Protein backbone atom coordinates (compact mmCIF):
# COMPACT_ATOMS: atom_id res chain seq x y z
CA UNK A 1 0.00 0.00 0.00
CA UNK A 2 2.81 2.36 0.86
CA UNK A 3 4.36 1.68 -2.50
CA UNK A 4 1.20 2.27 -4.42
CA UNK A 5 0.63 5.49 -2.51
CA UNK A 6 4.15 6.51 -3.26
CA UNK A 7 3.73 5.62 -6.91
CA UNK A 8 0.47 7.52 -7.13
CA UNK A 9 2.05 10.51 -5.42
CA UNK A 10 5.04 10.36 -7.72
CA UNK A 11 2.92 10.13 -10.84
CA UNK A 12 0.56 12.92 -9.77
CA UNK A 13 3.63 14.98 -8.95
CA UNK A 14 4.91 14.30 -12.43
CA UNK A 15 1.63 15.43 -13.91
CA UNK A 16 1.71 18.60 -11.78
CA UNK A 17 5.08 19.34 -13.30
CA UNK A 18 3.45 19.28 -16.69
CA UNK A 19 1.04 21.96 -15.58
CA UNK A 20 -1.93 19.79 -14.74
CA UNK A 21 -4.20 19.93 -11.72
CA UNK A 22 -2.97 17.71 -8.86
CA UNK A 23 -4.70 14.39 -8.38
CA UNK A 24 -7.35 14.06 -5.71
CA UNK A 25 -6.22 12.04 -2.69
CA UNK A 26 -6.18 8.26 -3.04
CA UNK A 27 -9.57 6.90 -2.14
CA UNK A 28 -10.26 3.94 0.06
CA UNK A 29 -12.69 1.42 -1.36
CA UNK A 30 -16.08 3.08 -1.04
CA UNK A 31 -18.89 1.70 1.04
CA UNK A 32 -22.02 0.70 -0.82
CA UNK A 33 -24.15 3.62 -1.87
CA UNK A 34 -21.52 6.24 -1.18
CA UNK A 35 -19.19 5.86 -4.10
CA UNK A 36 -18.44 8.50 -6.68
CA UNK A 37 -19.25 6.93 -10.05
CA UNK A 38 -16.64 9.11 -11.74
CA UNK A 39 -13.83 8.07 -9.43
CA UNK A 40 -12.18 5.10 -11.11
CA UNK A 41 -9.08 5.27 -8.94
CA UNK A 42 -7.80 2.14 -7.30
CA UNK A 43 -6.03 -1.13 -7.94
CA UNK A 44 -7.93 -3.31 -10.39
CA UNK A 45 -7.47 -6.98 -11.27
CA UNK A 46 -8.89 -8.71 -14.33
CA UNK A 47 -11.82 -11.01 -13.61
CA UNK A 48 -12.75 -14.24 -15.32
CA UNK A 49 -16.13 -12.68 -15.97
CA UNK A 50 -14.38 -10.92 -18.83
CA UNK A 51 -15.03 -11.84 -22.45
CA UNK A 52 -11.90 -11.20 -24.45
CA UNK A 53 -9.05 -12.83 -26.29
CA UNK A 54 -9.57 -15.04 -29.31
CA UNK A 55 -13.34 -14.76 -29.18
CA UNK A 56 -15.62 -11.78 -29.19
CA UNK A 57 -18.39 -11.09 -26.69
CA UNK A 58 -20.67 -13.49 -28.55
CA UNK A 59 -17.95 -16.15 -28.33
CA UNK A 60 -17.35 -16.02 -32.06
CA UNK A 61 -13.75 -16.79 -33.04
CA UNK A 62 -11.81 -13.67 -33.89
CA UNK A 63 -10.31 -15.34 -36.94
CA UNK A 64 -13.75 -15.41 -38.58
CA UNK A 65 -13.66 -11.61 -38.59
CA UNK A 66 -10.41 -11.28 -40.48
CA UNK A 67 -10.13 -9.69 -43.89
CA UNK A 68 -8.43 -11.92 -46.46
CA UNK A 69 -5.24 -9.88 -46.19
CA UNK A 70 -5.16 -10.10 -42.41
CA UNK A 71 -5.92 -13.83 -42.50
CA UNK A 72 -2.99 -14.30 -44.83
CA UNK A 73 -0.72 -12.31 -42.52
CA UNK A 74 -1.85 -14.30 -39.52
CA UNK A 75 -1.40 -17.64 -41.26
CA UNK A 76 2.15 -16.78 -42.27
CA UNK A 77 3.21 -15.78 -38.78
CA UNK A 78 5.43 -17.86 -36.53
CA UNK A 79 3.87 -17.48 -33.10
CA UNK A 80 7.29 -17.94 -31.52
CA UNK A 81 8.08 -14.48 -32.87
CA UNK A 82 5.37 -12.91 -30.75
CA UNK A 83 6.84 -9.53 -29.74
CA UNK A 84 5.85 -10.31 -26.17
CA UNK A 85 8.39 -13.14 -26.25
CA UNK A 86 11.00 -10.41 -26.22
CA UNK A 87 9.10 -8.60 -23.50
CA UNK A 88 7.35 -5.99 -25.63
CA UNK A 89 4.12 -4.69 -24.17
CA UNK A 90 1.15 -3.66 -26.23
CA UNK A 91 -2.42 -2.46 -25.99
CA UNK A 92 -5.04 -3.92 -25.76
CA UNK A 93 -3.37 -7.20 -24.76
CA UNK A 94 -1.97 -5.54 -21.68
CA UNK A 95 -5.51 -4.87 -20.42
CA UNK A 96 -6.19 -8.56 -19.89
CA UNK A 97 -3.02 -9.71 -18.20
CA UNK A 98 -3.31 -11.38 -14.80
CA UNK A 99 -1.51 -8.53 -13.08
CA UNK A 100 -3.21 -5.56 -11.48
CA UNK A 101 -3.39 -2.10 -12.94
CA UNK A 102 -3.75 1.10 -10.99
CA UNK A 103 -5.86 3.99 -12.21
CA UNK A 104 -4.82 7.49 -11.17
CA UNK A 105 -7.11 10.34 -12.20
CA UNK A 106 -6.58 14.02 -12.63
CA UNK A 107 -8.94 16.35 -14.49
CA UNK A 108 -6.64 16.55 -17.49
CA UNK A 109 -5.28 13.03 -17.73
CA UNK A 110 -6.11 9.59 -16.42
CA UNK A 111 -3.14 7.30 -15.93
CA UNK A 112 -3.32 3.54 -16.10
CA UNK A 113 -0.27 2.10 -14.38
CA UNK A 114 0.35 -1.53 -15.23
CA UNK A 115 2.21 -3.84 -12.89
CA UNK A 116 3.25 -6.01 -15.83
CA UNK A 117 6.42 -4.51 -17.23
CA UNK A 118 5.79 -1.31 -15.30
CA UNK A 119 4.28 0.48 -18.29
CA UNK A 120 1.49 3.03 -18.35
CA UNK A 121 -1.21 4.56 -20.51
CA UNK A 122 -2.02 8.25 -20.58
CA UNK A 123 -5.67 8.95 -21.35
CA UNK A 124 -5.90 12.64 -22.15
CA UNK A 125 -9.18 14.14 -20.94
CA UNK A 126 -8.36 17.81 -21.54
CA UNK A 127 -10.38 17.99 -24.74
CA UNK A 128 -7.47 17.60 -27.11
CA UNK A 129 -7.77 15.93 -30.48
CA UNK A 130 -5.39 13.54 -32.19
CA UNK A 131 -1.82 14.78 -32.37
CA UNK A 132 -0.57 15.90 -35.77
CA UNK A 133 2.29 13.45 -35.92
CA UNK A 134 3.25 10.20 -37.59
CA UNK A 135 4.33 8.73 -34.26
CA UNK A 136 3.30 5.11 -33.86
CA UNK A 137 2.87 3.46 -30.49
CA UNK A 138 2.74 -0.09 -29.14
CA UNK A 139 0.27 1.17 -26.52
CA UNK A 140 -1.51 3.60 -28.83
CA UNK A 141 -2.44 7.22 -28.19
CA UNK A 142 -5.53 7.74 -26.04
CA UNK A 143 -8.01 10.58 -25.65
CA UNK A 144 -11.07 10.39 -23.42
CA UNK A 145 -14.17 12.21 -22.28
CA UNK A 146 -17.06 11.58 -19.90
CA UNK A 147 -20.55 10.68 -21.09
CA UNK A 148 -22.59 10.70 -17.90
CA UNK A 149 -20.81 8.32 -15.55
CA UNK A 150 -19.00 6.52 -18.38
CA UNK A 151 -15.43 7.37 -19.32
CA UNK A 152 -15.21 6.97 -23.09
CA UNK A 153 -11.68 6.43 -24.35
CA UNK A 154 -10.51 6.25 -27.94
CA UNK A 155 -7.11 4.82 -28.77
CA UNK A 156 -5.34 4.76 -32.13
CA UNK A 157 -1.97 5.62 -33.77
CA UNK A 158 -0.74 2.07 -33.30
CA UNK A 159 2.58 0.59 -34.26
CA UNK A 160 1.68 -2.18 -36.74
CA UNK A 161 4.61 -4.22 -35.43
CA UNK A 162 2.36 -4.98 -32.43
CA UNK A 163 0.00 -7.95 -32.42
CA UNK A 164 -3.62 -7.76 -31.37
CA UNK A 165 -3.44 -11.31 -30.01
CA UNK A 166 -0.76 -13.87 -29.34
CA UNK A 167 -1.87 -15.92 -32.39
CA UNK A 168 -0.54 -13.22 -34.69
CA UNK A 169 -3.77 -11.36 -35.35
CA UNK A 170 -2.45 -8.07 -36.66
CA UNK A 171 -3.22 -4.51 -35.68
CA UNK A 172 -2.91 -1.61 -38.10
CA UNK A 173 -1.88 1.97 -37.54
CA UNK A 174 -5.39 3.37 -37.80
CA UNK A 175 -7.19 0.73 -35.77
CA UNK A 176 -9.67 2.59 -33.58
CA UNK A 177 -10.33 1.06 -30.18
CA UNK A 178 -13.12 2.57 -28.14
CA UNK A 179 -13.44 1.71 -24.46
CA UNK A 180 -16.36 2.57 -22.22
CA UNK A 181 -15.34 2.40 -18.55
CA UNK A 182 -18.08 2.26 -15.96
CA UNK A 183 -18.22 1.38 -12.26
CA UNK A 184 -20.74 -1.21 -11.13
CA UNK A 185 -21.37 -3.22 -7.97
CA UNK A 186 -21.19 -0.12 -5.74
CA UNK A 187 -17.82 0.81 -7.14
CA UNK A 188 -16.18 -2.56 -6.55
CA UNK A 189 -16.27 -3.67 -10.18
CA UNK A 190 -14.99 -1.80 -13.21
CA UNK A 191 -16.46 -2.70 -16.59
CA UNK A 192 -14.68 -1.88 -19.81
CA UNK A 193 -16.74 -2.45 -22.94
CA UNK A 194 -14.33 -2.42 -25.85
CA UNK A 195 -15.04 -1.96 -29.53
CA UNK A 196 -12.28 -2.64 -32.03
CA UNK A 197 -12.69 -1.16 -35.49
CA UNK A 198 -10.11 -1.86 -38.13
CA UNK A 199 -11.17 -2.05 -41.79
CA UNK A 200 -7.72 -3.33 -42.68
CA UNK A 201 -7.84 -6.28 -40.27
CA UNK A 202 -11.53 -6.96 -39.53
CA UNK A 203 -14.59 -7.20 -41.72
CA UNK A 204 -16.75 -5.84 -38.90
CA UNK A 205 -16.27 -4.33 -35.44
CA UNK A 206 -15.17 -6.66 -32.65
CA UNK A 207 -16.76 -6.20 -29.23
CA UNK A 208 -15.27 -7.37 -25.94
CA UNK A 209 -15.85 -6.92 -22.26
CA UNK A 210 -13.12 -6.60 -19.66
CA UNK A 211 -14.23 -6.82 -16.03
CA UNK A 212 -11.97 -5.84 -13.13
CA UNK A 213 -12.27 -6.40 -9.40
CA UNK A 214 -11.15 -3.71 -6.97
CA UNK A 215 -8.20 -4.87 -4.83
CA UNK A 216 -7.03 -1.88 -2.86
CA UNK A 217 -5.65 -4.29 -0.27
CA UNK A 218 -2.91 -5.08 -2.82
CA UNK A 219 -0.07 -2.93 -4.05
CA UNK A 220 1.67 -2.85 -7.40
CA UNK A 221 4.64 -5.17 -7.32
CA UNK A 222 7.73 -4.98 -9.47
CA UNK A 223 7.67 -6.92 -12.75
CA UNK A 224 10.32 -6.85 -15.43
CA UNK A 225 9.80 -9.51 -18.07
CA UNK A 226 13.39 -9.26 -19.25
CA UNK A 227 14.65 -10.40 -15.87
CA UNK A 228 14.25 -14.13 -16.36
CA UNK A 229 12.78 -14.48 -19.82
CA UNK A 230 13.61 -17.88 -21.31
CA UNK A 231 11.22 -17.34 -24.20
CA UNK A 232 13.45 -14.82 -25.88
CA UNK A 233 13.81 -15.96 -29.44
CA UNK A 234 16.81 -13.85 -30.31
CA UNK A 235 19.15 -16.65 -29.50
CA UNK A 236 16.98 -19.42 -30.91
CA UNK A 237 16.42 -18.52 -34.52
CA UNK A 238 18.53 -17.46 -37.42
CA UNK A 239 17.27 -14.68 -39.63
CA UNK A 240 14.57 -12.33 -38.38
CA UNK A 241 14.87 -12.13 -34.65
CA UNK A 242 18.10 -14.00 -34.87
CA UNK A 243 19.65 -11.08 -36.64
CA UNK A 244 20.27 -9.71 -33.19
CA UNK A 245 22.04 -12.89 -32.21
CA UNK A 246 25.54 -12.37 -30.91
CA UNK A 247 27.52 -14.29 -33.46
CA UNK A 248 30.62 -12.24 -32.73
CA UNK A 249 30.69 -11.39 -29.05
CA UNK A 250 33.85 -9.36 -29.54
CA UNK A 251 31.88 -6.91 -31.67
CA UNK A 252 30.12 -5.68 -28.57
CA UNK A 253 33.29 -4.36 -27.04
CA UNK B 1 23.32 -8.92 -21.37
CA UNK B 2 22.45 -11.19 -24.23
CA UNK B 3 25.49 -13.24 -23.48
CA UNK B 4 24.36 -13.80 -19.94
CA UNK B 5 20.83 -14.67 -20.97
CA UNK B 6 22.06 -17.00 -23.62
CA UNK B 7 24.25 -18.81 -21.19
CA UNK B 8 21.31 -19.18 -18.83
CA UNK B 9 19.27 -20.58 -21.67
CA UNK B 10 21.86 -23.08 -22.68
CA UNK B 11 22.48 -24.31 -19.19
CA UNK B 12 18.90 -24.73 -18.14
CA UNK B 13 16.97 -25.03 -21.34
CA UNK B 14 14.21 -27.56 -20.80
CA UNK B 15 14.55 -28.55 -24.42
CA UNK B 16 18.13 -29.58 -23.91
CA UNK B 17 18.87 -32.79 -25.75
CA UNK B 18 18.86 -35.94 -23.68
CA UNK B 19 20.75 -39.14 -23.95
CA UNK B 20 18.08 -40.79 -21.91
CA UNK B 21 16.12 -43.96 -21.98
CA UNK B 22 12.73 -44.47 -20.40
CA UNK B 23 12.82 -43.38 -16.78
CA UNK B 24 10.57 -44.17 -13.89
CA UNK B 25 8.57 -41.31 -12.55
CA UNK B 26 7.68 -41.97 -8.93
CA UNK B 27 4.00 -42.01 -9.75
CA UNK B 28 4.76 -45.20 -11.61
CA UNK B 29 3.89 -43.75 -14.97
CA UNK B 30 6.59 -44.36 -17.49
CA UNK B 31 7.51 -41.47 -19.66
CA UNK B 32 9.44 -42.06 -22.81
CA UNK B 33 12.31 -39.66 -22.89
CA UNK B 34 12.97 -39.34 -26.56
CA UNK B 35 16.37 -38.53 -27.83
CA UNK B 36 16.01 -35.40 -29.90
CA UNK B 37 19.18 -34.01 -31.32
CA UNK B 38 19.85 -30.46 -30.33
CA UNK B 39 18.73 -29.09 -33.66
CA UNK B 40 15.39 -30.82 -33.40
CA UNK B 41 14.94 -29.58 -29.88
CA UNK B 42 15.61 -26.04 -30.97
CA UNK B 43 13.22 -26.39 -33.87
CA UNK B 44 10.54 -27.45 -31.43
CA UNK B 45 11.42 -24.60 -29.16
CA UNK B 46 10.89 -22.12 -31.93
CA UNK B 47 7.75 -23.64 -33.39
CA UNK B 48 6.04 -24.84 -30.27
CA UNK B 49 6.64 -22.08 -27.82
CA UNK B 50 4.86 -18.82 -27.59
CA UNK B 51 5.49 -16.44 -24.78
CA UNK B 52 3.38 -17.28 -21.75
CA UNK B 53 1.96 -20.22 -23.59
CA UNK B 54 1.53 -23.48 -21.74
CA UNK B 55 0.50 -25.47 -24.78
CA UNK B 56 3.67 -27.53 -24.66
CA UNK B 57 2.65 -29.22 -21.42
CA UNK B 58 0.56 -32.35 -21.02
CA UNK B 59 -2.21 -31.07 -18.79
CA UNK B 60 -4.13 -34.34 -19.05
CA UNK B 61 -1.48 -36.42 -17.34
CA UNK B 62 0.15 -34.81 -14.33
CA UNK B 63 3.06 -36.75 -12.85
CA UNK B 64 4.94 -36.50 -9.59
CA UNK B 65 8.71 -36.33 -9.55
CA UNK B 66 10.89 -36.63 -6.51
CA UNK B 67 14.27 -35.03 -6.04
CA UNK B 68 16.54 -32.41 -4.57
CA UNK B 69 16.19 -28.70 -5.28
CA UNK B 70 19.21 -27.32 -7.11
CA UNK B 71 17.86 -23.81 -7.58
CA UNK B 72 14.63 -21.85 -7.26
CA UNK B 73 14.63 -18.90 -9.65
CA UNK B 74 12.26 -16.27 -8.29
CA UNK B 75 12.12 -14.18 -11.46
CA UNK B 76 9.57 -12.74 -13.85
CA UNK B 77 7.98 -13.58 -16.15
CA UNK B 78 8.07 -17.11 -14.75
CA UNK B 79 9.62 -18.85 -11.79
CA UNK B 80 11.76 -21.93 -12.42
CA UNK B 81 12.49 -24.85 -10.15
CA UNK B 82 15.68 -26.67 -11.09
CA UNK B 83 15.43 -30.06 -9.47
CA UNK B 84 17.79 -33.04 -9.58
CA UNK B 85 15.83 -36.26 -9.99
CA UNK B 86 17.48 -39.63 -9.29
CA UNK B 87 16.75 -41.72 -12.35
CA UNK B 88 17.12 -45.51 -12.68
CA UNK B 89 19.69 -46.40 -15.28
CA UNK B 90 21.36 -43.04 -15.12
CA UNK B 91 24.68 -42.50 -13.47
CA UNK B 92 23.70 -39.22 -11.93
CA UNK B 93 20.42 -37.42 -11.25
CA UNK B 94 18.69 -35.80 -14.21
CA UNK B 95 18.04 -32.07 -13.89
CA UNK B 96 14.46 -31.06 -14.60
CA UNK B 97 13.40 -27.48 -15.33
CA UNK B 98 9.97 -26.83 -13.90
CA UNK B 99 8.24 -23.66 -15.00
CA UNK B 100 5.94 -21.87 -12.60
CA UNK B 101 3.78 -18.84 -12.39
CA UNK B 102 5.37 -15.46 -11.88
CA UNK B 103 6.70 -14.39 -8.49
CA UNK B 104 3.95 -11.77 -8.36
CA UNK B 105 1.19 -14.33 -8.82
CA UNK B 106 2.76 -16.83 -6.42
CA UNK B 107 3.42 -14.18 -3.77
CA UNK B 108 -0.24 -13.24 -3.86
CA UNK B 109 -1.01 -16.92 -3.32
CA UNK B 110 1.10 -17.01 -0.20
CA UNK B 111 4.42 -18.21 -1.57
CA UNK B 112 7.68 -16.79 -0.32
CA UNK B 113 10.82 -16.07 -2.29
CA UNK B 114 12.65 -18.52 -0.05
CA UNK B 115 9.99 -21.22 -0.30
CA UNK B 116 12.31 -23.70 -1.97
CA UNK B 117 15.96 -23.82 -0.99
CA UNK B 118 18.87 -25.63 -2.60
CA UNK B 119 19.18 -29.05 -1.02
CA UNK B 120 15.50 -29.33 -0.08
CA UNK B 121 14.08 -32.78 -0.82
CA UNK B 122 10.60 -32.39 -2.27
CA UNK B 123 8.06 -33.99 -4.53
CA UNK B 124 6.65 -31.89 -7.34
CA UNK B 125 3.43 -32.62 -9.13
CA UNK B 126 3.85 -31.28 -12.64
CA UNK B 127 2.36 -31.23 -16.08
CA UNK B 128 5.23 -32.76 -18.06
CA UNK B 129 6.50 -31.45 -21.35
CA UNK B 130 4.76 -33.18 -24.24
CA UNK B 131 8.04 -33.84 -26.00
CA UNK B 132 9.28 -35.96 -23.12
CA UNK B 133 12.26 -33.85 -22.20
CA UNK B 134 12.84 -33.28 -18.48
CA UNK B 135 10.67 -30.28 -17.84
CA UNK B 136 7.15 -29.30 -16.97
CA UNK B 137 4.79 -26.85 -15.38
CA UNK B 138 4.40 -26.92 -11.63
CA UNK B 139 1.09 -27.90 -10.07
CA UNK B 140 2.02 -28.38 -6.42
CA UNK B 141 4.92 -28.90 -4.07
CA UNK B 142 4.87 -31.69 -1.49
CA UNK B 143 7.47 -31.14 1.23
CA UNK B 144 9.22 -33.88 3.18
CA UNK B 145 6.96 -33.27 6.19
CA UNK B 146 3.87 -33.72 4.04
CA UNK B 147 3.00 -30.04 3.79
CA UNK B 148 1.63 -29.13 0.38
CA UNK B 149 1.87 -25.88 -1.52
CA UNK B 150 -0.47 -25.29 -4.40
CA UNK B 151 0.97 -23.55 -7.42
CA UNK B 152 -2.36 -23.58 -9.19
CA UNK B 153 -2.80 -24.73 -12.72
CA UNK B 154 -1.00 -22.71 -15.33
CA UNK B 155 -4.13 -22.33 -17.41
CA UNK B 156 -6.40 -20.74 -14.83
CA UNK B 157 -6.92 -17.02 -14.95
CA UNK B 158 -5.82 -15.21 -11.83
CA UNK B 159 -9.03 -13.56 -10.99
CA UNK B 160 -9.37 -13.51 -7.22
CA UNK B 161 -13.10 -13.90 -7.48
CA UNK B 162 -12.84 -15.70 -4.18
CA UNK B 163 -10.49 -13.27 -2.47
CA UNK B 164 -11.34 -10.53 -0.02
CA UNK B 165 -12.32 -7.30 -1.67
CA UNK B 166 -11.82 -4.82 1.12
Amino acid sequence: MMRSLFLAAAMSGMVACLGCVPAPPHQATPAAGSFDPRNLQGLWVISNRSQRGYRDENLQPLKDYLTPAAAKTRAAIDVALDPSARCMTMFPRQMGWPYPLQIVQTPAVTLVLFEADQVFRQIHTDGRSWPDTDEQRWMGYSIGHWEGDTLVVQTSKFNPAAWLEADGTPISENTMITERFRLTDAGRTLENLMKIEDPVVFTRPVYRKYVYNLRNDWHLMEYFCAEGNRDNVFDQKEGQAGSLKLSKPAARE
Amino acid sequence: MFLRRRKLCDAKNPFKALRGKPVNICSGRRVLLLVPVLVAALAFAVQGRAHHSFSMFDREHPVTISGTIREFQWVNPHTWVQILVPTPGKGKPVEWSIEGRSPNVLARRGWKRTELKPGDKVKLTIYPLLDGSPGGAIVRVIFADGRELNADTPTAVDTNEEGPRK
Side-chain angles (χ1 to χ4, degrees):
Chain A
M1 180 53 78
M2 284 306 294
R3 274 180 57 174
S4 59
L5 283 175
F6 176 78
L7 193 54
M11 293 304 289
S12 61
M14 191 180 83
V15 170
C17 289
L18 298 174
C20 300
V21 180
H26 186 74
Q27 302 287 310
T29 304
S34 68
F35 77 101
D36 173 1
R38 285 196 173 197
N39 180 2
L40 310 183
Q41 296 196 108
L43 205 71
W44 300 98
V45 188
I46 193 77
S47 160
N48 63 8
R49 289 171 287 160
S50 304
Q51 291 164 344
R52 57 191 174 84
Y54 299 118
R55 293 173 182 272
D56 75 350
E57 63 171 0
N58 296 317
L59 303 180
Q60 297 306 303
L62 213 55
K63 62 181 173 60
D64 292 354
Y65 287 64
L66 294 174
T67 59
K72 194 175 170 187
T73 301
R74 177 180 171 275
I77 262 170
D78 179 349
V79 294
L81 298 177
D82 183 345
S84 80
R86 52 190 171 95
C87 298
M88 287 303 300
T89 61
M90 59 204 94
F91 175 81
R93 288 170 71 183
Q94 192 84 2
M95 296 298 285
W97 278 41
Y99 303 100
L101 52 88
Q102 180 148 18
I103 296 181
V104 181
Q105 273 175 282
T106 79
V109 65
T110 292
L111 301 173
V112 183
L113 311 179
F114 295 90
E115 175 170 294
D117 284 304
Q118 318 274 273
V119 295
F120 59 89
R121 291 176 68 192
Q122 302 171 84
I123 300 167
H124 299 286
T125 51
D126 56 359
R128 74 178 65 187
S129 187
W130 301 102
D132 183 20
T133 167
D134 63 357
E135 183 186 358
Q136 297 176 328
R137 298 181 178 220
W138 291 77
M139 300 293 285
Y141 188 96
S142 297
I143 53 178
H145 66 277
W146 287 91
E147 290 180 8
D149 291 335
T150 300
L151 177 61
V152 181
V153 180
Q154 288 193 298
T155 304
S156 190
K157 303 272 182 185
F158 291 101
N159 186 332
W163 292 11
L164 187 73
E165 285 296 338
D167 66 350
T169 301
I171 194 167
S172 63
E173 179 178 6
N174 296 318
T175 295
M176 181 63 70
I177 299 183
T178 306
E179 296 165 283
R180 300 179 68 85
F181 290 95
R182 187 174 67 98
L183 290 173
T184 61
D185 189 22
R188 303 199 310 175
T189 297
L190 178 63
E191 268 188 14
N192 175 11
L193 302 178
M194 184 183 288
K195 178 185 187 182
I196 304 172
E197 294 169 289
D198 187 344
V200 177
V201 175
F202 296 118
T203 54
R204 50 187 162 157
V206 172
Y207 293 89
R208 298 174 163 183
K209 183 167 80 172
Y210 295 74
V211 179
Y212 302 90
N213 294 323
L214 189 60
R215 285 302 298 254
N216 279 341
D217 55 323
W218 285 8
H219 59 256
L220 289 184
M221 295 174 70
E222 191 174 83
Y223 182 110
F224 299 114
C225 164
E227 182 180 15
N229 181 26
R230 293 193 192 185
D231 291 340
N232 195 307
V233 294
F234 288 168
D235 47 11
Q236 293 180 16
K237 177 145 181 159
E238 300 291 341
Q240 308 176 42
S243 62
L244 293 173
K245 184 175 166 182
L246 284 177
S247 55
K248 295 176 183 171
R252 284 172 61 85
E253 293 169 0
Chain B
M1 190 172 76
F2 283 101
L3 267 180
R4 190 183 60 76
R5 186 180 300 152
R6 187 151 185 229
K7 191 179 173 191
L8 185 86
C9 253
D10 285 348
K12 293 151 191 170
N13 192 333
F15 301 96
K16 194 166 58 178
L18 289 178
R19 287 178 217 91
K21 292 176 179 174
V23 298
N24 277 316
I25 308 299
C26 69
S27 68
R29 181 172 177 266
R30 287 175 75 87
V31 176
L32 275 179
L33 291 180
L34 302 174
V35 195
V37 293
L38 187 61
V39 172
L42 281 176
F44 175 83
V46 170
Q47 288 166 12
R49 300 201 73 185
H51 189 50
H52 296 177
S53 166
F54 284 87
S55 59
M56 64 283 211
F57 300 115
D58 184 354
R59 294 190 294 271
E60 301 296 316
H61 303 100
V63 298
T64 301
I65 58 175
S66 187
T68 304
I69 300 295
R70 191 183 73 75
E71 188 180 14
F72 181 37
Q73 296 179 10
W74 184 256
V75 292
N76 283 303
H78 295 279
T79 55
W80 291 88
V81 180
Q82 302 295 138
I83 183 170
L84 299 169
V85 179
T87 306
K90 305 285 285 184
K92 55 182 182 179
V94 172
E95 181 168 351
W96 289 60
S97 294
I98 310 300
E99 188 166 10
R101 316 215 70 177
S102 74
N104 303 31
V105 168
L106 291 179
R108 291 188 172 111
R109 293 184 181 277
W111 284 55
K112 291 182 168 51
R113 178 171 51 83
T114 51
E115 203 69 71
L116 296 170
K117 291 181 278 296
D120 283 358
K121 295 192 185 308
V122 298
K123 292 179 183 174
L124 300 179
T125 300
I126 63 167
Y127 296 124
L129 279 169
L130 284 163
D131 75 345
S133 51
I138 195 162
V139 179
R140 89 176 56 82
V141 183
I142 305 156
F143 292 93
D145 62 3
R147 184 170 69 96
E148 292 192 7
L149 194 58
N150 182 23
D152 203 355
T153 60
T155 51
V157 176
D158 284 294
T159 56
N160 307 291
E161 303 295 347
E162 76 285 0
R165 289 200 277 157
K166 297 174 198 167

